[in-house]
Every structure is written in C-alpha cells, then in structure tokens.
Amino acid sequence: MWSVSDDALVAGLAAGDEEAASAFVRRFERRVFGLARTIVPDDRAAEDIAQEAFVRAWRHAPTYDPRRGSVVGWLLTITRNLAIDAVRVRRPVAFDPEALVGLDQSSDERGPHELAQLGEDTDRLRVALATLPEEQRRAIVLAGLLGYTAREVGEMEDIPLGTAKTRIRAALIRLRAALVEEAAE
Amino acid sequence: MSILTCSQVRELAPELALGVLGGAERAEAITHVNECARCQAYVIELTEAADALPLLTAEREPPAGFEDRVLERIRAGRRRARRRWWGSAVAIAAAVAILSVTTVRVLEARQGGVSTPTATSSSAAPVAVAMNGNSGPAGWAYVSNGRAVAVTVDYAVGPGRYDIRLTAPNGTQETLGSMHVSDERGSWTGRSEQTIENGSTIALVDASGHEVCRGTVSA
C-alpha cells in the first residue's frame, strides 16, 4: 500500500476502501498534525483539527481534482483553513516566522519520511522565503500561513494598511517568481 | 459585470490567492476574475505559491492512537451517510406519492369528479434519476406521472441556492424552482409545466449558470 500513489489513495478513500483510508492517514498524519500544531497553541486542539481535516478529506475525496494541485497541498489547505477558523478569535502572538516554516531547521534534523516527501519545489520555496527581507517574510507568514488579513498584519506590525498590503504582495510575487524560474531551468 | 479594473485586481490578487481578502473587495475581485481569463491565470499562479506555504511547516508526530480515532470517525460518517441516504430516499418516495395522489385528485375535481385516464395517472411508477456532479454521485431526482418532480442531494454539492432546471430533448428549458443546499444536503419537490419525457435532463444550476450536477430521465 505504501507504493500506491497519493491520487490512488484518494480514489480508494472515496470508494470506501478501509485499507486505502488507513494508508492515507498514515501517510499524511505527521504533516497534517504538524501544520495544525503550528497554527493552534496546544496538542489537544491540534488533534481535533487534524482529525477533522481527514474526515473532510474523506467527505470531499470524490470531488478531488488532481489537475488543481497535489493531494498533500489539497489536504494541507483543508487543515490550514480549519486551524485558522479555530483561532479566529485572535490572541496577540509572539512568533518567530523562521521557526514556523523551518528556516532554522537544518536538513539533518528532519526525519527520513519528511525528507522523502519534501519535493524540490518545497526546498526552492524555503530558499526563496529565506532570502526575502525580514519584514516581507513576517508579512507573508502571518497572512499565508496564519491567515491574518492585511489590516491585522498592519496592526500587529504597527505599520499602515498600505504598507502591509505591499509587503504581502511583494513577498508572494517573489515566491511565485522563484518557483517559476526554477521550473524553467 | 466587474467594477474593478485589471490593474486593481492585480493589486488585490496576492491577498485573494492567500485567502485573506474579505468582504466586498473579495466579491468584486472574484467577479472580475471570473470574467477575465488573464487575471484568472495570474491568480491561479499566485495561488500555487500560496498553497505551497503550508508544506514548509515541520512534521510532527500526532498523539498515540490518532490513526484509530480518525478511522473510527470516518466509519461513523459512512454509517450516518448510509442512514441519511435511506432516510432521504424514503422521504422523497413519500413526497412523490403525495404529489401523485394530489395531482390526480386535482384533475378529478376539475373534471367534476370523473376520473379520466391522463398522463398523470396515479398508476405510473416514479422514475429515479441519478444526479451526478463532475466527480461523482450527488443525489437523486424522482419523476412521477410525467410532471411531479422531487430532487434530493446529499453529497458533493457546495452550500448555496441552486435553480432546478429541466431541459427537454428538444432543448426547451424550464426552471422548476430553486433549492437551498446546506452541509451538502437539500431537497425540493414541485411540478413541471411540461411533460417530462425520456431524455430530458434535470440539473442544479448555480448563480453563475454553471450546472453542478445533472441527471437524464430514462424510464
């Protein structure tokens, strides 16, 4: 079952195949729980979100369209949205954007499973993120990972709304450019 | 029609791609993007980068027993879905039966109580029509006596209000009514002005005119 593609596992999940469902959860549980735990403050809440993400994936598996993105990207988007909803009533957070996205983590510290799953795009994105000016990196992590609006980013960073929007925009355009450039090489 | 220019939408595109654009700006940007292929392509490009961001977070071992708890929730969900399907089917069958009897009684009353064989004879068995979306089953429609229609969806249809559109084999279209879907579930019963023939299609149509699921009548 471990050699089965991600797409095939989703098809099995949609068809009610118990073995496929089990393999699907095993394959992605560390990623899903890791993302949930990054966004919400405790293990209990993170597990609730991670469980719900897999249940949603099961319910929506028949509508998954591989042309619109990878399985892991689809599943993590579900997880991210659930986690952001869960922390919608915001508390001021002190955070280190580099720690949240693993910029302070050397490759040697990642587990073998994580290394196997990290595609080239992900490494390129990490490099691109690391080369952004710090204020842009904070803005894109706050908006892109933690779901803060530009207005909220402005309030947290004590900058005008227009500046927050500019930082978010500049950061995402640079990340996108990095992915496109690398793909073209 | 969009009130934003391409330039304005491109300013908003990163926030739209990241899912943090709210309220009226989001609605106006989406309206423009739906009408403008170039801006749509731009938003899709940015969305690909935005969707990759969560991949950068570290993996973490979930608490012991996590897999078992998830699988039990999925099993429970399957059991509920099966019960819901049967419940919907019974409810719809009952609704169709009521419509059939009502139709015949109305016709009888109009004709002075003299029952005349018509296209809506109560002896006609309901025809079940599987409603399918792009990715699979969405629900069922039932046609009884050629005009009474009941529609139920319980899967893979997003929340919102949908028109129920009947298209005859000759292309004639009729909007039968509208149906609200919440938590993927919704149902509607009513009648068609025209006799529903083999080869007619029944579809749920969203606000933009897009068919989200459809079925073809085949007795």
Side-chain angles (χ1 to χ4, degrees):
Chain A
M1 187 58 79
W2 283 101
S3 62
V4 173
S5 72
D6 293 350
D7 289 356
L9 281 185
V10 173
L13 189 65
D17 182 334
E18 185 94 2
E19 194 178 352
S22 180
F24 182 79
V25 174
R26 278 199 305 275
R27 184 171 295 183
F28 296 114
E29 62 183 356
R30 296 180 78 245
R31 282 219 154 277
V32 168
F33 183 73
L35 174 60
R37 186 63 184 80
T38 298
I39 298 174
V40 301
D42 63 84
D43 283 354
R44 178 71 178 270
E47 170 162 352
D48 288 346
I49 288 161
Q51 281 191 26
E52 183 62 24
F54 280 111
V55 172
R56 296 264 176 113
W58 160 68
R59 289 180 65 198
H60 294 282
T63 62
Y64 166 71
D65 182 351
R67 292 169 299 181
R68 295 173 64 180
S70 67
V71 169
V72 67
W74 170 68
L75 183 59
L76 292 185
T77 298
I78 294 172
T79 309
R80 170 186 174 271
N81 293 341
L82 285 168
I84 288 171
D85 284 346
V87 293
R88 187 62 73 183
V89 180
R90 296 292 165 75
R91 70 281 180 239
V93 290
F95 80 100
D96 175 0
E98 300 199 350
L100 281 183
V101 293
L103 295 181
D104 61 341
Q105 188 179 36
S106 75
S107 294
D108 293 341
E109 290 172 311
R110 297 182 210 144
H113 187 59
E114 183 174 5
L115 280 173
Q117 283 207 338
L118 282 175
E120 287 185 7
D121 278 356
T122 310
D123 284 338
R124 288 168 188 156
L125 195 67
R126 194 187 302 279
V127 170
L129 193 63
T131 58
L132 288 177
E134 185 184 352
E135 65 274 14
Q136 288 185 17
R137 188 160 59 240
R138 289 180 62 87
I140 194 68
V141 171
L142 282 169
L145 199 56
L146 303 180
Y148 287 96
T149 65
R151 183 174 301 282
E152 290 169 326
V153 171
E155 288 168 0
M156 293 179 71
E157 301 288 278
D158 198 21
I159 53 176
L161 173 61
T163 305
K165 282 176 170 280
T166 301
R167 288 180 184 176
I168 293 168
R169 184 165 59 245
L172 187 61
I173 288 172
R174 286 184 64 170
L175 294 183
R176 174 60 194 165
L179 289 179
V180 172
E181 283 168 16
E182 294 289 347
E185 284 176 3
Chain B
M1 186 173 158
S2 172
I3 60 172
L4 296 179
T5 64
C6 289
S7 173
Q8 289 171 315
V9 169
R10 287 180 179 234
E11 291 283 302
L12 297 172
E15 290 168 75
L16 184 64
L18 291 164
V20 296
L21 195 62
E25 277 186 322
R26 175 178 165 78
E28 289 164 8
I30 288 174
T31 300
H32 180 99
V33 166
N34 283 339
E35 296 169 350
C36 175
R38 288 183 64 188
C39 287
Q40 191 176 78
Y42 184 62
V43 170
I44 289 171
E45 281 184 7
L46 292 178
T47 302
E48 287 173 2
D51 286 350
L53 278 169
L55 290 165
L56 299 181
T57 54
E59 292 190 0
R60 193 186 283 241
E61 196 69 47
F66 175 80
E67 180 189 336
D68 290 341
R69 290 190 287 276
V70 171
L71 293 176
E72 182 48 42
R73 283 191 61 182
I74 291 175
R75 284 186 208 105
R78 285 198 188 109
R79 288 193 293 270
R80 275 197 301 275
R82 277 196 292 269
R83 282 198 298 271
R84 206 165 67 192
W85 189 92
W86 281 108
S88 296
V90 168
I92 291 296
V96 168
I98 291 166
L99 274 169
S100 304
V101 170
T102 304
T103 303
V104 169
R105 285 183 178 164
V106 167
L107 286 171
E108 285 174 345
R110 283 179 179 169
Q111 293 160 5
V114 179
S115 180
T116 307
T118 69
T120 54
S121 164
S122 62
S123 62
V127 175
V129 181
M131 301 283 283
N132 291 301
N134 288 334
S135 307
W140 293 90
Y142 293 83
V143 178
S144 182
N145 302 315
R147 292 197 176 186
V149 182
V151 179
T152 180
V153 294
D154 63 356
Y155 206 73
V157 176
R161 183 157 288 281
Y162 297 89
D163 282 345
I164 297 155
R165 186 167 65 198
L166 172 70
T167 304
N170 65 6
T172 307
Q173 292 194 331
E174 177 186 345
T175 299
L176 302 179
S178 68
M179 177 170 118
H180 184 73
V181 175
S182 174
D183 194 23
E184 301 186 325
R185 300 167 67 183
S187 61
W188 175 90
T189 56
R191 286 180 54 76
S192 164
E193 293 295 321
Q194 56 185 305
T195 301
I196 300 174
E197 306 169 44
N198 271 346
S200 296
T201 62
I202 297 170
L204 259 59
V205 181
D206 67 17
S208 64
H210 173 68
E211 287 187 358
V212 295
C213 63
R214 73 196 319 248
T216 301
V217 178
S218 175

